[in-house]
């Protein structure tokens, strides 16, 4: 079995890693397999286009106070994040791009982010989107606001995805506690 890598630790500037909260460091660098659970509030547009896009991209369905479990599987080349919400499942593959960015693949779409330390949290800044490997014009990429930090001593996340003509595709925020590290 290949050894694990600390993907986020390698993509953040070295001076930023120690500034992150302990729960953030543990979630993004501990072990080959991490299992966590918590709660999330999910919102999003209810029209047909938004519902179909969420399904294609395996994004979570709206619902307040949803139980969530996350499994992170790390190996040398990538991390697989499997998220199970009460009403849906979401899986993405994360890897370091040759451009020094974090590339997250959701179905046919790859999101390219730069990572920055924002107080004790990681801020994900969207740099571009690829559909089936082809770059989309910036005007079609919309906005992705993503932050993973700490709240109340726990790992906390806050994601908001908006697209032109669609509006809020999905937004989800909540917390996780690590249940198991292997």
């Amino acid at each position: 079995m290949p050894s694990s890598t600390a993907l986020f630790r390698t993509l953040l500037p070295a001076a930023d890693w120690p500034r992150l909260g302990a729960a953030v460091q543990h979630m993004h660098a501990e072990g080959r397999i991490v299992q966590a659970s918590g709660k999330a509030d999910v919102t999003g547009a209810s029209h047909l286009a938004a519902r179909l896009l969420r399904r294609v991209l395996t994004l979570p369905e709206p619902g307040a106070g949803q139980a969530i479990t996350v499994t992170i599987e790390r190996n040398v080349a990538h991390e697989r994040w499997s998220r199970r919400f009460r009403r849906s499942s979401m899986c993405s593959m994360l890897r370091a791009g040759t451009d020094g960015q974090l590339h997250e693949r959701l179905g046919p779409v790859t999101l390219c982010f730069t990572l920055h330390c924002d107080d004790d949290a990681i801020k994900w800044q969207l740099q571009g989107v690829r559909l089936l490997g082809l770059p989309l014009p910036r005007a079609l990429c919309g906005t992705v606001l993503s932050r993973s930090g700490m709240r109340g001593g726990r790992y906390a996340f806050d994601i908001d995805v908006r697209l032109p003509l669609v509006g809020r595709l999905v937004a989800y925020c909540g917390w996780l506690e690590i249940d198991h590290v292997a």
Side-chain angles (χ1 to χ4, degrees), residues 108-111 127-142 163:
V109 172
T110 300
L111 306 169
Q127 299 299 316
V129 177
R130 296 177 185 191
L131 176 63
L132 299 172
L134 301 172
L136 291 179
R138 187 68 185 135
L140 297 178
C141 294
L163 295 176

Side-chain angles (χ1 to χ4, degrees), residues 3 40 43 45 51 72 105:
S3 64
T43 60
R51 291 193 323 261
I72 304 167
R105 185 170 48 89

